[in-house]
Amino acid sequence: MSERLQPGDTAPDFTLPDADGNEVSLASHKGRKVIVYFYPAALTPGCTKQACDFTDNLELLADAGYDVIGVSPDKPEKLAKFREKENLKVTLVGDPDKSVLTAYGAFGEKKLYGKVVTGVIRSTVVVDEEGKVERALYNVKATGHVAKIIKDLGI
């Protein structure tokens, strides 16, 4: 089980392929705040709801100085299908080897329908302009999460 990040930690840098196979890195967002959210799988109901909520609020978040990156263990081809099917505007990147998910504490043991399983822990990490963790939220709910972030960030 990986360690969970705490406010003040340096956010682990990453470079992952997006839905088009282009590399997206956290370092390229320096000078902007970034909301990095981790979700279990593209094209599933909860993850679709969450991605649509981020897409619906992308302009509001961008105007407040935030970029949004969604990370899942999916391959770029599946992310492209997800983006097209749901008309998503949020940047989606794939982490098939789960190294970034692990580095962010978003992969490990969790409870699913009362059973302990190993998998993606739905999480959101807000990274400031200098690459430091501003907030780290784990075991978040797919529904209502984006509204809570907006409220918590005072947007």
Side-chain angles (χ1 to χ4, degrees), residues 40-53:
L43 300 166
T44 58
C47 298
T48 297
K49 172 80 178 113
Q50 191 176 20
C52 288
D53 282 354

Side-chain angles (χ1 to χ4, degrees), residues 74-85:
D74 298 306
K75 290 185 167 38
E77 303 78 41
K78 187 172 179 188
L79 297 174
K81 275 187 199 147
F82 188 33
R83 181 186 63 197
E84 303 313 317
K85 181 174 188 264

Side-chain angles (χ1 to χ4, degrees), residues 95-155:
D95 181 23
D97 70 3
K98 302 173 188 70
S99 59
V100 175
L101 287 154
T102 302
Y104 275 78
F107 187 82
E109 285 189 354
K110 63 179 186 174
K111 276 203 161 135
L112 189 67
Y113 306 115
K115 280 193 189 140
V116 175
V117 297
T118 300
V120 176
I121 299 161
R122 193 181 301 275
S123 313
T124 301
V125 176
V126 180
V127 182
D128 71 13
E129 299 90 342
E130 301 302 313
K132 296 279 187 209
V133 174
E134 193 174 290
R135 291 165 193 264
L137 310 161
Y138 293 93
N139 293 310
V140 301
K141 300 276 179 243
T143 307
H145 179 61
V146 176
K148 182 179 178 345
I149 290 173
I150 289 169
K151 182 173 177 257
D152 289 353
L153 294 174
I155 300 171

Side-chain angles (χ1 to χ4, degrees), residues 22-69:
N22 300 316
E23 293 195 338
V24 173
S25 69
L26 183 62
S28 67
H29 291 266
K30 205 157 179 90
R32 300 250 322 149
K33 292 185 178 206
V34 185
I35 296 170
V36 185
Y37 80 97
F38 300 90
Y39 63 100
L43 300 166
T44 58
C47 298
T48 297
K49 172 80 178 113
Q50 191 176 20
C52 288
D53 282 354
F54 271 117
T55 292
D56 292 347
N57 289 286
L58 206 53
E59 198 173 318
L60 178 72
L61 291 163
D63 289 349
Y66 291 89
D67 295 332
V68 179
I69 301 173

